[in-house]
Amino acid sequence: MSGADGPNGTGASPVPDYEWRYEYYDDEEPVSFEGLEAHRYSIVIGFWVGLAVFVIFMFFLLTLLTKTGAPHPDSTAQLIGYMDSNLNNGAPPTHPGGLDSCRSLFQRYVSKEAQVSSRALWTTAGGVGGGAGGGGGGGGYLRRPSSSLEVGDGMLLQELAVTANRREKEAILLAHFSIPNCVNSEQSSTVGEDDLLLGEPELPIIVEGRDQNELSDFSYSRPGELRAATHQV
Amino acid sequence: MNASTMNQTDCPEVQVPAPLFFTIGVVSLAENLLVVVAVIRNRNLHAPMYCFICSLAAFNTIASLSKTWENLMLVLADVGHLEKRGSSEMKLDDVMDSLLCMSFVGSIFSFLAIAVDRYITIFHALRYHNIMTMQRTGAILGVIWTTCGVSAFLMVRFFESKFIMICFVVFFVISLVTICFLYVYMFMLASIHARKIAALPTSGEGKSRRQRWQGNSMRGALTLTILFGAFVVCWGPFFVHLIIIMVCPMNPYCECYRSLFQLHVVLLMSHALIDPAIYAFRIAELRRTFRKMLLCSDWRR
C-alpha cells in the first residue's frame, strides 16, 4: 500500500485484475446476495413453470383443433362428396357433363393447391398423424404423378384414360384420392378409406415395387427416378 | 485489495458428473452416426427429406463428438495432465467451441429445412417434385453448411461482442416461431382433411372410422407436441442463459440461473440423443436399413 509519492502518482491502490469474461467457474464476481425479496431460484422456477404451461397449452390447443377445426370452403366438400359417391357405389359419374365436369372440378382442385390426399398428409409428415414411417413411401409416391401434372391440367386425366393398366391407376388413386375417381369408377373398390386415414407405411413401398414393371408407361423427367423406383424390388 | 464484497456465493455452480456427459455423448454419437451411414448407404433414401434428416444427424454427431472431447480434456485438466490456461489448450478449446456453435446453428437450420420440406410436401404436393429437386437440396445443404462454418468462426472469434450473441438469440427465436407456425398449419390441414373424410356418409362404419380418425388426430397432436416440445425444452434454457448474460450479468437472481449452466448443456446434448427417435426412427425404410446394418445381413438387395 504505497502512498502518493511521485508527482504523477495515482494515490490509489493498484486496480485489481478485473476482466469481464464469460467464465462461470470464477468466483470473483462481486454479486451480493443480501436483501433478496424472493427466492433466489425464482427465475429458474418461473422459467420452467412457464415452459411447462406453454407445452401443455400447445397440446390442448392441438387436440382442440382436431375436434373443432374451421371448415374449408365449399368446393372441397363438393369434391369430396363427389369422390365419395364414386368410392361407395362404384357407379360411373352421374354428372351430365361427364369428363368435362370432372375436368372443371379438377382444375378448381389444382388451382386451390390446398387439397391433397390425406395419405400424403399423414405419411409424408413423417409422424404427424401418427403414421409411423410412411414418410419415405409418401414422398416417393408424390414423385411419380407430379411430373405429368406439371404439364397441364388435362394431362393426368388423359393419361388415366389412356392407361389400360389397372395397377398404375391404383397407384395414382392412392396418391390423389379424389381426382382420378372422376375418370375411373371401377377402381373405387380398391381404395378404401382405411388406407387413406391410417397411412400404412408398407403399402406405398409395396405398390411401388409392384409397379416397377410398368414404369416405362410414364415419361420421366429424370432417369434417376426410374432407377430409384426400380430399386424397390 | 480485493474488490469482491463476498466470499461465498449462495448459488454455487451445479456440477454435472463427467460420466453422465460421457454416456450421453457416446450414445448420441453412435445413434446419429448410424443414421448418417444408413442414409448414405441406402440408395432408396437419396431423397430431399432424408438428406435433411441426414444433415441434422451429421450436425448432432459433430456436437456430441466435440462436447465429449471437451469433457475429456476438462477431466484430464482436472487430473493434472493438461494445463487449463496453456496456449495450445486454449486454441483447442476455441476449435471445440466453434465446432459446437457450428453444430448448434446447423441443427436449427436443419430443423427449419425439414419443416419447410414437409410443408411443401403437403401444401404444394403436386409440384413438390419440381420444387425440391436433388440439385436444389444439395445447394441448400451447401449453403447451410457454409453458413454454419462461417458463423461458428465469427461467433468464437468475436464472442465478447454482444452483437453476435444478439444475432444468435434472434435467429433462434425466429426459427422457433417459423417451425411452430409451419407444423401447426400442417397439422390443422391434416386434421381438417381427415375430419372431412371421417364425416363422409357410409353404410355402417361411420362410428369406427370416426373413432379411428380421432385416435389418429390425437396421436398427431401428441407427435407434434413431442417434436416441438422437445425442441423448446432442450434449447430454451441455453438461450435464456445467453439472454441473461447480456441483460443482467450482476443480478443475483440471474446468477442463480447461470449457476445451472452445466445442466442446460446436458439438456442440449440430450436433444441430440432424442433427435433420431423423433425424426429418423419414424421412417420405416430407415428402420429397415438399421436392422439390416446391425444384423450385418445383406442389405444390398
Side-chain angles (χ1 to χ4, degrees), chain A residues 22 24 31 38 51 58-59 63 66 69 113 116 121 124-125 127 129 132-133 136 146 150 176 194 197 202 225, chain B residues 6 13 50 118 121-123 126-127 129 193 195 212-213 216 218 220 223 225 228 232 245 253 256 282 284 288:
Chain A
Y22 301 114
Y24 312 104
V31 178
L51 203 61
M58 193 176 70
F59 178 67
T63 41
T66 67
E113 260 199 344
V116 289
L121 287 172
T124 57
S146 63
E150 268 304 295
H176 304 277
D194 297 0
L197 265 182
E202 303 306 324
E225 291 169 41
Chain B
M6 36 65 68
E13 186 176 349
Y50 304 119
R118 287 175 176 175
T121 303
I122 288 181
F123 286 91
L126 303 178
R127 293 183 304 162
H129 178 57
H193 220 73
R195 195 161 59 93
R212 209 168 36 225
W213 158 68
N216 266 346
M218 279 296 289
T223 304
T225 309
F228 194 67
V232 168
I245 292 175
Y253 298 112
C256 284
R282 305 199 70 126
R288 205 173 299 134

Side-chain angles (χ1 to χ4, degrees), chain B residues 11-38:
Chain B
C11 285
E13 186 176 349
V14 172
Q15 302 277 350
V16 172
L20 182 64
F21 266 121
F22 279 123
T23 315
I24 293 182
V26 166
V27 173
S28 86
L29 182 69
E31 269 186 345
N32 288 294
L33 208 56
L34 199 65
V35 172
V36 171
V37 168

Side-chain angles (χ1 to χ4, degrees), chain B residues 22 41 50 57 70 91 93 135-136 151 165 172 191 194 221 272 291:
Chain B
F22 279 123
R41 282 177 87 179
Y50 304 119
E70 189 177 23
K91 281 204 197 99
D93 194 49
Q135 286 89 354
R136 232 169 253 177
S151 62
M165 275 209 292
F172 172 73
S191 64
R291 237 174 275 135

